[in-house]
Amino acid sequence: MASSSSSSSSSLLLFLSLLLLLLPYITSSNIITIPISHLPKNPHPDPYQHLSYLANSSLKRARHLKNPQTTPPHINTKTPLFSNSYGGYSIPLSFGTPPQTLPFTMDTGSDLIWFPCSKNYQCINCSTYPNTAKIKSFIPNLSSSSKLLACLNPKCALLHQKFQCPDCKLGSKNCTRGCPLYKIVYGSGTTSGIPLSETLHLPTRRVPDFLVGCSVRSTHQPAVGIAGLGRGPASLPAQLAVKKFSYCLLSRLFDDTNKSSSLVLVGSKDSVKKTKGVSYTPFVKNPEVPNKPFSTYYYVGLRRINVGGRRVNIPYRYLRPDKNGSGGTIVDSGTTFTLMAAEVFERVAGELEKQMKGYKRAEEAETLTTLRPCYDFSGIEKLEFPSVTFHFKGGAEMALPLENYVVRAGGKVLCFTILSDNGPIISSGPSIILGSSQMQNYHVEYDLQNERFGFKQQECN
């Protein structure tokens, strides 16, 4: 970390160590509703370059989900933590006393909740805003409930699960070591900072002693915090002990508007019942692979894919994770476009191309956007694309609306928005990553108590 960042971190640590006040725990409801909206993206005016940016971001994130990179452990300074790149939907969360409200990218592929922190927060090559002056940061010295975590605090173990506090015995009252700093490695950058205990304010509930990351330096990140909704112990659902959460992702047609939908967190066992009209498929058991964060992801049993009503022949090894973590399908709100292993993509795209033989390929659009296939429908009144349907274990079917797998790339050029990872061959990790673009206008449900994933098509606005 740069020396200026280290200096600001030291000052922050000194101040936070003096703040020990916690608010009383209050529970008033088992169901919490939080609005979801698009992040302000300020997309590039050239649609080709904007789509290329979205495609490349999806690829970088997917490659990290498949093969996360780590940093070497360094006692009490930087400890590796696995996470992923960012997506395009945000939720507001309020921390501190009095509350400070900030936007967070909603991410089902990671665990930690962190925010840009302090007036000296550094964000290098970050998206959304051209400079960090416009980034909204959490200011710890304005909160009376900010508190540093001790190394032996159980909350510290949620973040650094394998870290052993040097010179500190379990149960010791004389241990003065603090919880180690974190450094999260992303597909395209990093964020690092200080673990805090803070008060989280929800619409119907106040939660003291909530583990949150106070990031003081980031590179190649969204200019907002990240709210991890993954399966790990530091995630938002885990810390709130919710039994189910659900959301509905707005159509991309509402990018950069004030429209919003909702993230719903359900805490009561009695409230975890089947939702009318929702199709369910059981979650698939996560592979347990040392030094890989596959346990964070939500695996589902995708069994086959139909294009234009025809079944695509996909080898079984791609559809279920093996003991080494290779194969299988995950759902990830932080990946924009769905990504498939090269062999799976070629079979799916090949079937689509076979059924689109009479249409003109838009090769220039394919080069500029990195999406394929693209077609030019100039002079054609009725736009037709073969249907795409995902079939899951248990009989659940997701018949995608056209806008969920095709995007207009300018004029009458349409491109397929499922990607192939045709980069370096990665021998482990999920073969298929279902992204947020394919989930537009779907009610999506993560039933953690009954270990099932549910969905139904509906208007989210």
Side-chain angles (χ1 to χ4, degrees), residues 180-212:
L181 306 184
Y182 63 83
K183 181 175 182 180
I184 304 175
V185 181
Y186 287 79
S188 57
T190 64
T191 191
S192 52
I194 307 158
L196 295 181
S197 170
E198 251 300 1
T199 297
L200 169 63
H201 298 263
L202 296 169
T204 59
R205 181 176 168 189
R206 188 171 61 188
V207 187
D209 196 26
F210 190 94
L211 170 64
V212 64

Side-chain angles (χ1 to χ4, degrees), residues 312-392:
V312 178
N313 183 23
I314 300 173
Y316 185 73
R317 66 180 180 275
Y318 292 111
L319 299 177
R320 187 171 182 85
D322 63 19
K323 64 180 181 180
N324 298 316
S326 179
T329 301
I330 67 170
V331 181
D332 179 42
S333 67
T335 297
T336 303
F337 296 145
T338 288
L339 181 131
M340 297 178 174
E343 185 177 353
V344 178
F345 172 82
E346 293 301 338
R347 294 180 182 226
V348 172
E351 181 58 42
L352 186 143
E353 292 169 10
K354 190 187 303 181
Q355 298 182 36
M356 296 286 289
K357 274 188 176 180
Y359 295 92
K360 179 184 177 183
R361 289 284 286 267
E363 295 180 355
E364 182 182 7
E366 293 178 2
T367 300
L368 293 173
T369 65
T370 70
L371 300 173
R372 70 175 176 93
C374 295
Y375 294 93
D376 189 343
F377 285 88
S378 298
I380 300 174
E381 292 185 8
K382 189 176 181 180
L383 307 182
E384 293 184 351
F385 250 78
S387 61
V388 174
T389 304
F390 296 143
H391 297 262
F392 296 90

Side-chain angles (χ1 to χ4, degrees), residues 174-438:
N174 299 319
C175 180
T176 58
R177 286 187 177 272
C179 186
L181 306 184
Y182 63 83
K183 181 175 182 180
I184 304 175
V185 181
Y186 287 79
S188 57
T190 64
T191 191
S192 52
I194 307 158
L196 295 181
S197 170
E198 251 300 1
T199 297
L200 169 63
H201 298 263
L202 296 169
T204 59
R205 181 176 168 189
R206 188 171 61 188
V207 187
D209 196 26
F210 190 94
L211 170 64
V212 64
C214 167
S215 282
V216 294
R217 188 175 190 271
S218 300
T219 61
H220 295 282
Q221 295 304 305
V224 296
I226 290 181
L229 274 72
R231 284 183 171 272
S235 73
L236 184 66
Q239 290 200 66
L240 296 178
V242 303
K243 307 302 179 183
K244 178 177 76 173
F245 68 92
S246 63
Y247 54 77
C248 197
L249 297 183
L250 286 166
S251 167
R252 292 286 176 185
L253 297 175
F254 295 110
D255 279 2
D256 304 318
T257 70
N258 293 324
K259 288 186 177 292
S260 65
S261 53
S262 297
L263 167 67
V264 180
L265 306 170
V266 179
S268 171
K269 292 182 179 180
D270 296 334
S271 300
V272 184
K273 301 175 182 177
K274 284 190 175 182
T275 304
K276 185 178 180 181
V278 170
S279 298
Y280 291 94
T281 182
F283 284 124
V284 172
K285 184 179 179 180
N286 295 57
E288 297 179 7
V289 183
N291 301 317
K292 296 289 184 180
F294 299 147
S295 60
T296 292
Y297 307 154
Y298 292 98
Y299 281 84
V300 292
L302 180 64
R303 287 294 175 258
R304 73 177 191 270
I305 300 172
N306 283 16
V307 175
R310 297 178 183 175
R311 179 171 182 168
V312 178
N313 183 23
I314 300 173
Y316 185 73
R317 66 180 180 275
Y318 292 111
L319 299 177
R320 187 171 182 85
D322 63 19
K323 64 180 181 180
N324 298 316
S326 179
T329 301
I330 67 170
V331 181
D332 179 42
S333 67
T335 297
T336 303
F337 296 145
T338 288
L339 181 131
M340 297 178 174
E343 185 177 353
V344 178
F345 172 82
E346 293 301 338
R347 294 180 182 226
V348 172
E351 181 58 42
L352 186 143
E353 292 169 10
K354 190 187 303 181
Q355 298 182 36
M356 296 286 289
K357 274 188 176 180
Y359 295 92
K360 179 184 177 183
R361 289 284 286 267
E363 295 180 355
E364 182 182 7
E366 293 178 2
T367 300
L368 293 173
T369 65
T370 70
L371 300 173
R372 70 175 176 93
C374 295
Y375 294 93
D376 189 343
F377 285 88
S378 298
I380 300 174
E381 292 185 8
K382 189 176 181 180
L383 307 182
E384 293 184 351
F385 250 78
S387 61
V388 174
T389 304
F390 296 143
H391 297 262
F392 296 90
K393 182 179 180 180
E397 297 182 3
M398 180 179 284
L400 297 177
L402 187 63
E403 71 167 13
N404 288 28
Y405 64 98
V406 171
V407 66
R408 189 181 297 275
K412 281 201 170 185
V413 174
L414 299 182
C415 295
F416 192 47
T417 56
I418 292 178
L419 305 176
S420 166
D421 185 0
N422 55 5
I425 296 175
I426 299 173
S427 59
S428 65
S431 295
I432 300 171
I433 300 170
L434 300 179
S436 62
S437 184
Q438 278 61 56

